[in-house]
Amino acid sequence: MAKDHNGSKSGSDARGRQASEAYARRLRRMREHGLKPAIAWHGNDAEQMKADFVLDCGWGRLVFAQTFENSAAMVIALRGEKPDRRDIAVYVRNPHVMLANAPQELFLDPSHTYRLDLSRYRASRRAPKGFFIRRLTSQSDAEAINRIYVSRSMIPVAPEFFWSRRDARKICYFVAEDDLTGEVLGTVTGIDHMQAFQDPEHGSSLWCLAVDPTARHAGIGEALVRRLAEYFIVRGAAFLDLSVLHDNKQAIALYEKLGFQRVSFFSVKRKNQINELLFTGPETNGALNPYARIIVNEARRRGIDVEIVDAETGYFRLNHGGRTILCRESLSEMTSAVAMSICDDKAITRRVVSSAGVRVPRQIAGATRPQEIAEFVKCCGQIVVKPNRGEQGRGITVGLSEQKDIERAIADARKVSDTVLLEEFVAGEDLRLVVINFRVVAAAVRRPPVVVGDGEHTIRQLIAAQSRRRMAATGGESRIPLDGETERTLAGAGFGLDDVLPAETELTVRKTANLHTGGTIHDVTDTVDPTLVEAAVTAARAIDIPVTGIDFIVKSPQLPDYAFIEANERPGLANHEPQPTAERFIDLLFPLSLPVAVRQSWRKEDEALRP
């Protein structure tokens, strides 16, 4: 007879009776809705429950505490955790007893357990708009799931693991797919406890709910949770459980909205590198923005001492092996004042990189006479007005041809910089290449913010909702301004802020793709054309800057055509997952923190590249 968390036989019998009664109620509800269960109840199955059950989920293993006879056995199971994986002991009723067995190895996970009684579940009357939910069906689905995991700082899984288990009954995977593009927008994993270990309670659990931070559609997370709940109702499950960090207010609000309630189960994890922030206490760098925090976290992982100089502006000092370097986000003492001044003046940047053979668009500086502006517009067709100095897309207006619009844009740009540039408008996508130590570490297409209509809300309301999602996904760094540029872009498409956007209509609300003004980032590092990589490195060497973000306008990241736009001396290293931007930055600053084998490999690579 399998025992419960407290080693009590009577506890299993009681759970069996409770599960039987719950299953009877569920059968009545399913018959009312014309549903047929996929499995049948066979009475009290406690005798059949597997002992010491551990389930491999790819990112780590789930150790189901209710199948273990004592805490010591669970500790032994957790000690089998593999490198770069996160094992979790779940449904632990007496965590204090378990922790007493290995206080130096284990910690109590600061997460709540929530349960949805599937006999009381109420389906939504509204179908998803702009996307649909389906099962994982291909290797590309598995790769897309990993992309979303990495963007959410979750542990990726070998794609073959997903694919080999696509028909498994213990684990199921659902994805949300965009109706138009076919892009995977979100994912959720479910565990069938009956199939896994003959659970007498007929339970199920939800894991790895994740939505692409660049997704434009609302309600993706809710739709995935509902699809999983309905899947397990048909399979005869009594409840759906999940674990959520105690401070994840957005997720908790969603679960409580759907009817989940807190239950008194706990999770225990190992003290490993992945879990470090969960057991070391509150972060001392919480006031830093994401661009500074990603670097500070990587430094601390390597044992580099960090001193926060001014959190509000992103200044910190790193100390390691007798070397001290002051940084402001990705700008460090290794970037010279000359290189920084070149990047700060866009007209000079253009001349420097152009002389090195990098292709640049036509440009004039300080033009104010209407005739001069008219001649330049006639030559270029459409132009871009931008301040000579500035960052984060402030004061930039794109795609102008009318004199009155140009004059207004010049006035806006002058609020940022005294000198205003008029530049040839080049159609295409905005490509950012992060160059560190004269190597391209990451390449990403930056796309302007887009909202999708639902036929009910105004564009102003849709922008506000999209801004909330972008802020949540970027640590508060990305939002769509309701300013003159947004209104001009909407007017060009025939809309105003207070118009109701027709259902399923996609509308670009700004022409600039900067992250800070609501743009989204899409990694293309593995597919970017070598010509673009070479041009970015050439531009970085011309400026002689060790860390920079090179911006091109391209027809496609997979084609060699480009036009140089600007170089950023303090590129944001966050939001480029899965590329190791922070790791390569710390490598540059403190090469001795790298393993010897890696340093030797890099040295050989440098020697091979020398003429």
Side-chain angles (χ1 to χ4, degrees):
M1 174 72 72
K3 300 180 180 179
D4 68 8
H5 304 283
N6 301 309
S8 168
K9 174 181 174 181
S10 61
S12 293
D13 292 338
R15 287 200 307 275
R17 288 194 299 273
Q18 292 169 358
S20 179
E21 293 168 359
Y23 187 74
R25 292 195 302 270
R26 188 166 61 261
L27 277 179
R28 287 194 295 271
R29 277 192 51 75
M30 293 177 69
R31 291 193 187 101
E32 291 172 3
H33 292 278
L35 299 175
K36 182 179 179 181
I39 58 176
W41 176 257
H42 300 295
N44 187 354
D45 290 334
E47 295 283 356
Q48 304 174 23
M49 187 165 69
K50 296 178 182 178
D52 299 346
F53 183 75
V54 177
L55 180 65
D56 185 6
C57 297
W59 43 262
R61 301 175 306 157
L62 292 176
V63 176
F64 286 89
Q66 64 266 55
T67 70
F68 282 76
E69 191 164 341
N70 55 64
S71 295
M74 284 190 283
V75 172
I76 293 173
L78 284 176
R79 284 173 178 160
E81 181 183 71
K82 294 181 180 179
D84 299 321
R85 290 293 178 263
R86 175 186 286 171
D87 288 357
I88 311 174
V90 294
Y91 296 103
V92 180
R93 285 188 182 273
N94 296 310
H96 55 293
V97 177
M98 186 175 178
L99 294 177
N101 281 271
Q104 303 303 319
E105 300 176 54
L106 308 178
F107 71 98
L108 182 63
D109 181 37
S111 296
H112 296 320
T113 301
Y114 275 80
R115 171 168 294 180
L116 176 64
D117 182 347
L118 294 178
S119 68
R120 298 184 177 182
Y121 171 79
R122 296 292 183 271
S124 174
R125 296 181 178 179
R126 300 181 63 179
K129 293 184 178 180
F131 64 94
F132 61 95
I133 310 298
R134 60 171 175 80
R135 294 287 294 270
L136 177 145
T137 58
S138 67
Q139 185 82 2
S140 62
D141 284 347
E143 293 168 354
I145 290 174
N146 266 338
R147 174 182 56 79
I148 295 173
Y149 281 176
V150 172
S151 71
R152 291 297 189 179
S153 299
M154 297 163 66
I155 301 172
V157 177
E160 56 269 20
F161 182 92
F162 288 116
W163 187 236
S164 65
R165 286 160 177 77
R166 65 190 183 281
D167 297 322
R169 298 177 70 83
K170 297 176 184 177
I171 305 179
C172 62
Y173 303 99
F174 288 95
V175 297
E177 179 181 318
D178 189 286
D179 282 340
L180 298 177
T181 67
E183 182 181 5
V184 172
L185 305 174
T187 177
V188 69
T189 302
I191 308 293
D192 188 326
H193 297 181
M194 184 59 192
Q195 291 293 329
F197 57 90
Q198 291 294 100
D199 180 17
E201 296 178 288
H202 276 237
S204 62
S205 54
L206 176 157
W207 298 91
C208 301
L209 175 66
V211 176
D212 189 329
T214 66
R216 302 185 299 273
H217 303 289
I220 296 173
E222 178 179 343
L224 285 163
V225 175
R226 286 188 177 280
R227 180 66 182 87
L228 189 65
E230 291 160 8
Y231 169 80
F232 280 126
I233 287 174
V234 174
R235 294 190 64 79
F239 54 81
L240 177 65
D241 287 351
L242 58 84
S243 179
V244 57
L245 279 173
H246 70 97
D247 57 356
N248 191 345
K249 296 179 181 178
Q250 186 177 13
I252 289 173
L254 167 62
Y255 299 140
E256 291 181 342
K257 169 188 171 184
L258 296 178
F260 284 83
Q261 295 182 331
R262 282 272 304 276
V263 289
S264 298
F265 298 114
F266 303 94
S267 298
V268 172
K269 296 176 181 176
R270 281 178 56 82
K271 293 180 178 179
N272 59 26
Q273 188 181 54
I274 296 171
N275 296 324
E276 185 176 358
L277 295 179
L278 298 178
F279 64 81
T280 55
E283 290 186 54
T284 58
N285 58 348
L288 294 172
N289 65 35
Y291 308 108
R293 194 181 310 132
I294 189 176
I295 298 169
V296 166
N297 288 342
E298 174 61 23
R300 285 178 170 152
R301 275 193 288 269
R302 298 204 195 178
I304 297 171
D305 180 64
V306 177
E307 175 191 351
I308 307 299
V309 177
D310 188 79
E312 185 177 350
T313 53
Y315 283 94
F316 53 88
R317 185 176 286 110
L318 305 179
N319 303 279
H320 181 70
R323 185 177 191 179
T324 300
I325 298 180
L326 180 65
C327 303
R328 184 187 181 192
E329 299 169 8
S330 65
L331 178 64
S332 76
E333 296 174 8
M334 297 187 70
T335 295
S336 70
V338 172
M340 184 173 173
S341 65
I342 291 173
C343 291
D344 183 53
D345 191 310
K346 293 180 175 63
I348 295 176
T349 310
R350 178 181 177 277
R351 292 199 295 269
V352 168
V353 301
S354 177
S355 65
V358 176
R359 294 197 290 274
V360 298
R362 287 170 288 188
Q363 185 185 89
I364 57 175
T368 55
R369 291 187 296 109
Q371 183 178 356
E372 186 180 5
I373 295 173
E375 290 176 358
F376 188 67
V377 171
K378 183 178 179 180
C379 178
C380 298
Q382 288 184 310
I383 67 170
V384 177
V385 175
K386 59 185 180 181
N388 189 42
R389 287 185 166 89
E391 58 183 4
Q392 299 179 353
R394 289 192 290 265
I396 297 177
T397 310
V398 177
L400 301 175
S401 57
E402 298 295 329
Q403 184 72 29
K404 61 178 181 179
D405 292 333
I406 295 171
E407 290 175 357
R408 188 182 303 115
I410 290 174
D412 290 340
R414 281 215 175 94
K415 296 175 183 177
V416 180
S417 172
D418 291 337
T419 303
V420 176
L421 304 178
L422 305 187
E423 188 172 88
E424 174 189 7
F425 171 72
V426 180
E429 293 192 290
D430 189 327
L431 177 68
R432 161 63 63 89
L433 297 106
V434 177
V435 183
I436 300 178
N437 201 16
F438 306 112
R439 291 182 174 88
V440 170
V441 175
V445 170
R446 303 189 298 177
R447 293 182 178 136
V450 173
V451 297
V452 181
D454 58 6
E456 299 176 7
H457 294 88
T458 66
I459 295 174
R460 187 189 302 275
Q461 292 170 325
L462 294 174
I463 289 175
Q466 179 75 334
S467 284
R468 287 193 295 271
R469 289 193 290 272
R470 296 296 299 137
M471 290 175 67
T474 61
E477 292 297 309
S478 180
R479 70 187 73 184
I480 305 170
L482 293 174
D483 58 10
E485 170 64 7
T486 299
E487 292 180 349
R488 191 185 69 80
T489 303
L490 295 178
F495 292 99
L497 281 170
D498 296 315
D499 292 340
V500 174
L501 192 62
E504 304 308 313
T505 299
E506 291 192 3
L507 179 65
T508 300
V509 297
R510 291 182 74 87
K511 292 187 177 180
T512 54
N514 299 75
L515 178 73
H516 290 83
T517 55
T520 57
I521 297 177
H522 307 264
D523 182 70
V524 294
T525 308
D526 294 336
T527 59
V528 68
D529 188 274
T531 301
L532 306 181
V533 173
E534 182 181 355
V537 172
T538 299
R541 288 195 181 278
I543 301 168
D544 195 19
I545 187 167
V547 179
T548 182
I550 302 296
D551 292 341
F552 291 155
I553 293 295
V554 299
K555 293 181 179 178
S556 165
Q558 290 78 46
L559 297 176
D561 300 306
Y562 73 90
F564 173 88
I565 301 302
E566 65 181 35
N568 192 315
E569 75 279 2
R570 183 163 51 97
L573 301 186
N575 306 310
H576 280 283
E577 296 85 356
Q579 307 311 324
T581 51
E583 290 93 322
R584 297 295 83 82
F585 180 70
I586 296 297
D587 294 345
L588 170 70
L589 302 189
F590 299 99
L592 292 181
S593 68
L594 275 168
V596 174
V598 176
R599 295 204 305 269
Q600 291 175 343
S601 174
W602 278 34
R603 191 178 298 116
K604 291 179 181 178
E605 183 180 333
D606 285 338
E607 291 173 353
L609 292 174
R610 289 173 188 165

